[in-house]
Structures are given as C-alpha cells and as structure tokens.
Amino acid sequence: MSRIYFDTNVFSNLRINSLPQYQTLNQLIVERKDRLSVYFSIGHIRDKRKDQSDYKFLDFEFMEFLTGDNYLAYDPIERRPGFYLATPKMAFDDDSPDNEYTSAMNIFEPSEDDDQMNASFKSMLRSIFENLPIGIDNSIFENLPQEQKKLVSSFLPLEEGASFLDLMNNMIQFTEELHKDSNLYKDLRTMVDKGMNNGQITLNGDIDFNEALKDTAIQKTFFDFIKDTIYYKDKDKIPYYDFFQLAYNMLDVLGISKDKITKKNTLGNLQNDGYHSYFAGYCDYFITDDKTITSKAKALYNLLGIKTQVLSVDEFNEVLPELLSDKRDDWDSLLNKLAWDFKNAERKEPIIVDGVITSRLGRNHRYLDFCDSVIEISSKDCRKLIAFKGDAHSLSDPSYSECKKIIHCALLILGNDDELKLEFDYQKFNSDTNVPLSRQWKISEQFSIELNFHPEINGKYGLAFIFPRIENKPIGRWRKLQLAIIEQFRKLIFKKNNN
C-alpha cells in the first residue's frame, strides 16, 4: 500500500468536507482506505498546539480515522526516524514542549536535586561566564544603518564590558522573541538576504540554486553552506534530520523562497512546514495545496534524490484511481501482472555470485498493494521471482501496520497459508518474540509462494514465487522457458483455486 502524507490543512479540509476536491478525495480514500497507509508526524501536532479551542480534537479524531496509529517520529538519541504506535491524540498528550530557550540558562541555577559537587560546579560556571569578556570591537558596527544596528544589538551586547553570560542571555531572549514577533523575524531575514543573497537566487526560475549561490556573497553551494553552518565535528556525518531542517529553513532566511510571515503565519509555522517536508520524504506521496511548501519540498527532494511525489489535492485525485483500482487483485490479475513483468520488463545487468544469477526487472507492477520492485534469481536448484519494496530510503521496509495489510491481502488472494498462521495482529504482538510475518503456500511440488524476509534481497520483506528445477525438462536459457513457466504457473493456480 502506498504511503500518504497529508499536510495539516488537507486533513482539516477533508474533515470539513465542503469543497468539491475534498469531497472527491474523501470518497476515493474511503473506497481504498484499507489499501493505503496514511501517516502523521510531530508537524501536525505542533500545528495544533497553538489552537486553544476544542476543534483540534475533532481534527485529531478525523486524522485517526485515516492514520490509525501510524506515527512517524524522530528519535534524537538514536538520531534516526522510525515508525511508532500512537494516535494523534496520544502524540498530542505526550508532546509537552518546554520553553527550551529559557531553560537553557538553568544550567547555571542550582536545584534541590543537586548535590554539593553539582551545585558548586554550576556556581563556578556562572562565575566564569560572568567575568569572561566578549572582547568585541564595537567600532565595526558604527557604519551600519540604524535599523541593522538596532537588530544586531538585540542579540549581540554592544555595551562596554559585556560578558559571555550577557551574550548567552541576549541570544536566548532573541531566539525566543523571533518566535513571538513576526516583524523581528522579517527584519532579520531582510538583513541576511541583503548581505548574502540579495535576492539574486530564487526557486522561481530554471537556475540550479544550489550551484548558483557560488556567485553570491556566500561563495559556496547551498548545501556546503548548510554543512558549514551546522556545528558538527565531522561534516560528512551530520545527521540527515539536522541537515534537512536547517536547509528547509535557510531557503526562507536567504530569500531563496520566502514565506509570507504574518501574526498567524509565524516562524513556528515555517519550522513545522520543515517537519512536514522531512517526514513526508519517507512516504510515497506528499499532498499539500500550499504552493510555498510545494516549491521548497520539490527543490530539496530533487537535490537530495528523494522520490516522494509532491502533489496538490486535485493532482492526487487523478493519481489515486490509477494507483489503486476499485477492486483488489485476485488470482487472475496477480498472474497477469506477474506474466507481463516476466515477459516484457527489461533486465538490468545481471550479478553472478557462486553460480547464482540475479537480475532486476526494469519496470514492475505493484504486488499486494505494496511491492513495487521485482528481482529474478536463477540457481542450480530453483528459479525465483521476488517482489518487494524498492530501497527509496531507510524506512522502505513495511511497518507492522503495513505488514498486517500485506498479509491480509495475500490471504485474500492465495487463501489460508499452509501453517494456518493467518492474519497478523500487530497491536497484540509482543516485540520481544520473533515476528510472525512469514507465510507459505505450497501449490505443488513444482511451485510455491512465500511471504518472508529474503536473504537474496538483503533480508527485505517480500513475496517470492519459487519454481524448483524439474529434471525431466531441458535446462535452457531462462528466456526460452518464460512462456512455458508462466503457462504452467497459470494452470497450477487455477487448479488449486478450483479445488
């Protein structure tokens, strides 16, 4: 099943259901809801954090109808994204953002939990920073325009004898004010843009903005500038999450793609849009009618090689019926798709290891509403076709909720599996035990189907069609046997189906 990521406004408009394009989308989704995976993230939660009314809970209820407990989140300790089992309301209740800017100064304040050593250490730190002068030559600011000098003084203490503690206090207060005062952020953006990009490079033309920034005052590519801006010892190991969030926000700060900043659309909204674009990058489709988000996400996705398609609601309404037909696959449609890929898809250059020949098919149908790639494996014992999800990103393998739908789809098409494991209820599953995700169907001595983690595709989860070699058949080139194998496959399937 395709992964869908709606921005917050799309969810809200779907709930209200007053506009024609959202009425159409609602109908299409309801018809295919069990065959799609809709995800939400902290971006949705933070968008609703400032809503003081109870309407946000109606949105959460509607979101849960579509997403269930499909929560995409980032683990700051492990420094990686992942799938988490939480509903929107659960995520909202669990998210209690403290005032991180004010709390940063608490490192100097003793608390009741401190022992004597910690209290003394905090006192020592405070004393050091209080008595350590910045040593800035204020004459360098004398020729600045008055509005720029005022802005600089709001985060950089210019008074005689200012200390590092003054600098830290100023920076924290300035950062906090940026999120409250939209005009302050606009002034900062204007100053940075004039001093670095000066409106030369935008996303509105055909120019490669990443390379074009070399010809501005920045004198380096956009991505190199982002790397140099992040404080990280090894620039080649900067966490992707940090890199993406700063890159998204810098598109605005540098004037490459400016958001309209108002009292309602603040710096916080801009940062939330960055969350949406980051997490949507782990889905197949990012649906938004916001043109600024669309242009920024497409620009970064293109440069970073992210395969997520960014579509408007109208565009998605056209794609969805083609993506998933009204009816699920049955035996016949499954065979037809496999036969087409088997006969017509171009093979990429084969890889031969210890006599095992592995070839990837160039173009594929979708299997079990999820698998979009197929490899062909030929060994002395058997021939296999394995359908799986291609490696678009680190979360390409299915989540537990997606595994549930994949197994359900397989059971509908193939019938009960041989070991009668049947459906997979991930919500009752104990993760301390082995994951019961394997399913097998032995059609005959000459043909079987297996849903499992396959070593031939680096342990990825996929659907394998397995044809053991038959001794009384001549062993020729795989191409010559294609039509015969497909016909045999079809007869075996229908024989089992009729029984």
Side-chain angles (χ1 to χ4, degrees):
M1 56 293 314
S2 294
R3 290 180 190 159
I4 314 300
Y5 190 101
F6 296 126
D7 78 4
T8 303
N9 287 332
V10 172
F11 272 122
S12 295
N13 283 319
L14 279 171
R15 179 182 66 80
I16 297 170
N17 202 33
S18 61
L19 299 175
Q21 65 268 38
Y22 289 96
Q23 293 170 355
T24 300
L25 181 54
N26 262 320
Q27 181 178 348
L28 290 172
I29 292 177
V30 168
E31 292 171 352
R32 297 162 175 81
K33 177 176 175 289
D34 292 337
R35 302 169 61 195
L36 296 169
S37 291
V38 183
Y39 282 87
F40 75 99
S41 75
I42 192 64
H44 298 94
I45 304 305
R46 293 290 170 85
D47 279 336
K48 293 298 180 182
R49 178 61 62 183
K50 59 188 177 183
D51 183 355
Q52 300 301 313
S53 72
D54 289 338
Y55 283 109
K56 60 178 174 288
F57 298 113
L58 295 177
D59 280 342
F60 289 156
E61 288 179 11
F62 179 80
M63 286 172 61
E64 184 178 347
F65 170 71
L66 296 181
T67 66
D69 51 14
N70 286 336
Y71 183 37
L72 271 172
Y74 182 77
D75 187 330
I77 298 176
E78 297 290 334
R79 293 186 179 276
R80 60 176 176 80
F83 302 113
Y84 294 85
L85 301 182
T87 65
K89 179 61 166 56
M90 290 167 60
F92 179 81
D93 290 341
D94 191 56
D95 176 54
S96 54
D98 298 322
N99 190 331
E100 55 185 315
Y101 312 111
T102 303
S103 63
M105 293 304 295
N106 290 340
I107 61 172
F108 301 121
E109 300 298 329
S111 69
E112 295 180 357
D113 297 329
D114 288 335
D115 56 25
Q116 185 61 42
M117 180 176 293
N118 283 335
S120 298
F121 182 70
K122 287 182 177 181
S123 177
M124 179 186 69
L125 280 179
R126 185 180 187 91
S127 177
I128 290 173
F129 281 98
E130 275 182 331
N131 293 284
L132 187 63
I134 301 176
I136 295 178
D137 182 3
N138 292 341
S139 64
I140 63 177
F141 303 108
E142 291 179 358
N143 295 326
L144 283 178
Q146 189 60 35
E147 63 274 12
Q148 290 190 15
K149 187 174 182 180
K150 179 181 178 182
L151 182 61
V152 170
S153 65
S154 63
F155 62 83
L156 193 63
L158 302 181
E159 63 270 12
E160 189 73 25
S163 68
F164 267 92
L165 188 64
D166 296 324
L167 176 61
M168 293 177 67
N169 273 312
N170 276 33
M171 292 299 294
I172 289 172
Q173 291 171 12
F174 178 75
T175 305
E176 193 171 0
E177 285 300 315
L178 277 179
H179 286 75
K180 296 178 180 179
D181 188 345
S182 57
N183 289 324
L184 180 60
Y185 174 70
K186 285 194 289 187
D187 290 342
L188 175 65
R189 183 175 66 182
T190 299
M191 185 181 75
V192 173
D193 184 11
K194 284 184 178 180
M196 304 182 80
N197 179 27
N198 200 23
Q200 297 180 58
I201 311 301
T202 69
L203 296 182
N204 298 324
D206 296 329
I207 192 170
D208 181 350
F209 76 92
N210 182 50
E211 292 292 331
L213 283 181
K214 288 181 179 179
D215 299 326
T216 68
I218 294 176
Q219 296 186 335
K220 60 184 70 176
T221 67
F222 177 74
F223 278 177
D224 284 342
F225 174 72
I226 298 301
K227 286 183 178 180
D228 291 344
T229 304
I230 297 176
Y231 179 74
Y232 210 79
K233 185 177 181 180
D234 189 343
K235 297 296 184 180
D236 292 328
K237 294 183 179 180
I238 294 173
Y240 173 67
Y241 176 85
D242 298 338
F243 179 87
F244 188 95
Q245 293 300 331
L246 183 58
Y248 188 93
N249 291 322
M250 274 297 179
L251 288 175
D252 188 82
V253 174
L254 295 176
I256 298 172
S257 179
K258 292 183 179 180
D259 275 73
K260 185 177 181 179
I261 302 298
T262 64
K263 288 184 178 180
K264 290 186 177 180
N265 191 44
T266 64
L267 177 59
N269 295 92
L270 175 64
Q271 292 177 326
N272 288 345
D273 293 343
Y275 293 142
H276 289 308
S277 296
Y278 169 80
F279 287 111
Y282 294 97
C283 298
D284 298 304
Y285 297 93
F286 180 17
I287 313 305
T288 176
D289 280 332
D290 188 306
K291 293 182 179 179
T292 304
I293 296 177
T294 297
S295 64
K296 288 182 178 180
K298 283 184 175 180
L300 290 181
Y301 289 177
N302 181 56
L303 284 175
L304 292 168
I306 297 172
K307 298 180 180 179
T308 302
Q309 295 187 47
V310 187
L311 302 176
S312 67
V313 170
D314 285 333
E315 290 170 333
F316 189 56
N317 284 342
E318 295 179 5
V319 168
L320 193 50
E322 298 177 2
L323 181 65
L324 291 175
S325 61
D326 294 337
K327 296 181 180 179
R328 291 180 181 269
D329 278 337
D330 55 18
W331 282 103
D332 194 35
S333 60
L334 180 68
L335 287 172
N336 285 336
K337 290 196 299 188
L338 184 66
W340 193 100
D341 288 338
F342 193 43
K343 290 189 295 183
N344 300 299
E346 294 183 3
R347 267 66 171 171
K348 297 186 178 180
E349 189 69 25
I351 299 173
I352 304 175
V353 179
D354 296 332
V356 178
I357 304 173
T358 302
S359 301
R360 186 157 182 168
L361 278 62
R363 179 186 174 190
N364 312 121
H365 287 88
R366 189 179 295 270
Y367 297 85
L368 304 184
D369 291 335
F370 186 81
C371 304
D372 59 8
S373 301
V374 177
I375 64 168
E376 169 190 331
I377 301 169
S378 175
S379 68
K380 66 178 182 178
D381 298 321
C382 70
R383 307 216 184 244
K384 292 182 183 180
L385 289 172
I386 305 179
F388 62 99
K389 184 77 169 178
D391 285 319
H393 45 70
S394 61
L395 297 181
S396 289
D397 258 5
S399 65
Y400 280 169
S401 66
E402 288 168 340
C403 285
K404 175 182 179 178
K405 293 182 178 182
I406 291 170
I407 292 173
H408 177 71
C409 185
L411 292 170
L412 288 177
I413 297 173
L414 304 172
N416 292 345
D417 60 289
D418 294 347
E419 297 179 354
L420 295 179
K421 292 182 179 179
L422 305 179
E423 302 283 356
F424 170 57
D425 188 347
Y426 68 93
Q427 292 172 323
K428 294 181 179 179
F429 166 67
N430 184 351
S431 59
D432 294 332
T433 62
N434 292 328
V435 184
L437 296 178
S438 64
R439 301 290 186 277
Q440 295 179 337
W441 295 266
K442 186 174 182 180
I443 311 302
S444 75
E445 294 299 324
Q446 300 171 351
F447 174 60
S448 63
I449 300 176
E450 183 177 351
L451 190 59
N452 207 345
F453 298 94
H454 300 281
E456 298 94 337
I457 51 175
N458 298 321
K460 291 178 68 65
Y461 194 62
L463 184 68
F465 303 88
I466 305 170
F467 302 88
R469 287 193 181 275
I470 305 170
E471 293 183 1
N472 61 355
K473 281 186 176 286
I475 304 300
R477 294 178 62 189
W478 182 230
R479 292 276 183 167
K480 292 181 180 180
L481 292 176
Q482 287 178 357
L483 293 177
I485 292 176
I486 292 171
E487 185 60 25
Q488 181 187 47
F489 181 22
R490 184 185 294 275
K491 288 179 180 179
L492 288 169
I493 292 295
F494 282 123
K495 180 179 179 181
K496 182 177 189 295
N497 194 35
N498 291 333
N499 291 338

